[in-house]
Each structure stands twice: as structure tokens, then as C-alpha cells.
Amino acid sequence: MKALHLTEFGRDRLRLVDTLPEPAQPSAGEVLLRFAAASLNPRDSQIINGHFTPDVAFPLVPLSDGAGEVLAVGEGVTRVAPGDTVTPLFFPNWISGEALGDERKISSGLEAPGVMRELAVYPEHALARAASHLGAAEAACLPCAGLTAWSALVDRSGVGPGDWVLIQGTGGVATAAIQFTRALGARSILADPRSVESRDKVNAVIKYREPWRPFCPSMTEDAARKYFPDYTHAPFMIMTFRANETAAREVPAVVHVDSTSRPQ
């Protein structure tokens, strides 16, 4: 079996190993899968280069997010079946609710082996079945960035039609948030100081200079609340605003806006 091993910190310390034994057939409650795709998060690069934590057990199989096909299941497995496309959870022991105990103690691609390997065996509870219309490469982008955006928009904020969502930047979480916002029938404002390339996918684009105030470099807290009187903070600078459409007309930093159309 082939796998990518990080033997020391640094990209030049990544080694392709092709002599590893294949995993045994899955035991009760376990699933054997063959990886078909992986995605790269900033955390992965930080781990590889030694910028995330010094506490790494080498050799490490890197990258947290991937997707693959179920090859076999052990006795008692009911949630997935051979042929399904699945993704491992970023935190295999964090199934639902708030992480109040050790749910985040083990993470893929750091404390547990990552996805840069041909085959792997996982407990059934550590896998999620991908939607049937997604390919492996698309599904591989969801466990970390995609789930973060979904949790912010749906679980924490309950975004729906009539809401405005402010999204900062154009990274993985932001890209997922833009797509989810459209799917939820809400309208989005992209705050990004570098580019307006995504303006055709959002309802407004804000170019800003100071990271703390993406609405407008000179906007005060009182002014922000005038335009966005009822907002909820969510991870990775995704903010949701219950509708106050004067914001789309009056906020001086908005350089592109469609205040009437609703995403299709």
C-alpha cells in the first residue's frame, strides 16, 4: 500500500512510501475505504512546515480532509455500504453538540493518521456519507472548511431568506459560505481587500483596509448597529445580519451591490 509520510518538519521531508501492508478486513463496527481525493487546508501546510505545533509523532500521514469509496464493512455497520462515497470526520470523536470534553483531542492528520494513503479502516461513527451528486474531489472539501461554514450559517445562525451574510475573505470557509448562503436563499456581502473576482456570486463586495471593520474602515460600532441591528457572530468572520436593506444603499465602502435581487 502507498502512503505519504512526513518524516520531519518541512515540505522536503515528505516521502512516498509504497511498501506498507494493506489494512486487515474491517472488524465489527468498522469500515474499509479506498481514498480517491484529498483537499489541502492551511492547517495542513502549517503542520507540515512545523508552524502549527511541535508535538508531532513522526512519521505522520498528513492532510485531514479526503474522500473515498467504501470497499467493505464489518458486522453491525448500517450507516454506509460498499460503493458509497464517504469522508472521514475532522474530529472522529466529535459526533454532535458542543465539544465539552475530549471530543477535539484527536484530529485527522495530526493525532490520528491523515488521508494521504490508499486504504484505511475507520470506525463507522468517524465517517459521513457524501451526497450522491458529489464526486470524491468535491466531497473532500467539506469536512473542515465546509462543515465550519455550515455550522456558522445553519446551526448557529439559522440563516434563511431575507438575511444578509457578511463573509470575509476568499478562503475555503468563505468559498463554502458563499455557496451555502445562495442555497439558503439569503444574500451575501463579501469583504475582501484584495479582489472582487467573486462579485458575480454575491450581492455586494466591500473592499476594506482594517481587518476588524470589514464594513468600512471608519465605521463605528454605533454606526454598524444602525445598519446591522441584530447580528450574530460565527466562526471565521462569517456574520449574519437580519435584514436592514439601508445597509446595501448607504454603507460607503460597498463598491458593488444588488439590493433587490435574490440569489437563484
Side-chain angles (χ1 to χ4, degrees), residues 108-130:
S108 177
L110 185 55
E111 295 87 5
V115 301
M116 290 302 291
R117 45 185 168 155
E118 287 186 297
L119 303 168
V121 172
Y122 286 89
E124 179 186 18
H125 71 260
L127 297 172
R129 188 174 63 227

Side-chain angles (χ1 to χ4, degrees), residues 106-263:
I106 304 296
S107 62
S108 177
L110 185 55
E111 295 87 5
V115 301
M116 290 302 291
R117 45 185 168 155
E118 287 186 297
L119 303 168
V121 172
Y122 286 89
E124 179 186 18
H125 71 260
L127 297 172
R129 188 174 63 227
S132 59
H133 67 280
L134 295 177
E138 295 167 313
C141 297
L142 295 177
C144 183
L147 184 57
T148 299
W150 179 265
S151 297
L153 295 170
V154 178
D155 293 341
R156 294 199 178 193
S157 304
V159 167
D163 291 335
W164 287 86
V165 179
L166 175 66
I167 303 165
Q168 182 179 10
T170 53
V173 175
T175 301
I178 290 171
Q179 297 176 73
F180 291 156
T181 298
R182 289 171 65 92
L184 292 165
R187 287 174 282 186
S188 56
I189 302 172
L190 176 64
D192 184 6
R194 297 159 298 181
S195 170
V196 292
E197 294 177 358
S198 299
R199 66 168 50 189
D200 60 327
K201 298 181 176 61
V202 298
N203 297 95
V205 175
I206 297 174
K207 298 181 72 173
Y208 68 94
R209 296 178 182 176
E210 298 180 20
W212 142 220
R213 287 198 174 92
F215 324 107
C216 172
S218 60
M219 183 174 286
T220 65
E221 183 74 12
D222 289 343
R225 291 188 178 279
K226 169 189 172 185
Y227 297 114
F228 308 113
D230 180 19
Y231 69 85
T232 57
H233 291 272
F236 288 83
M237 286 305 292
I238 300 171
M239 296 183 184
T240 62
F241 305 92
R242 296 303 182 266
N244 181 343
E245 296 198 9
T246 59
R249 298 190 300 269
E250 297 181 16
V251 174
V254 174
V255 295
H256 163 76
V257 67
D258 176 357
S259 62
T260 57
S261 66
R262 195 170 296 280

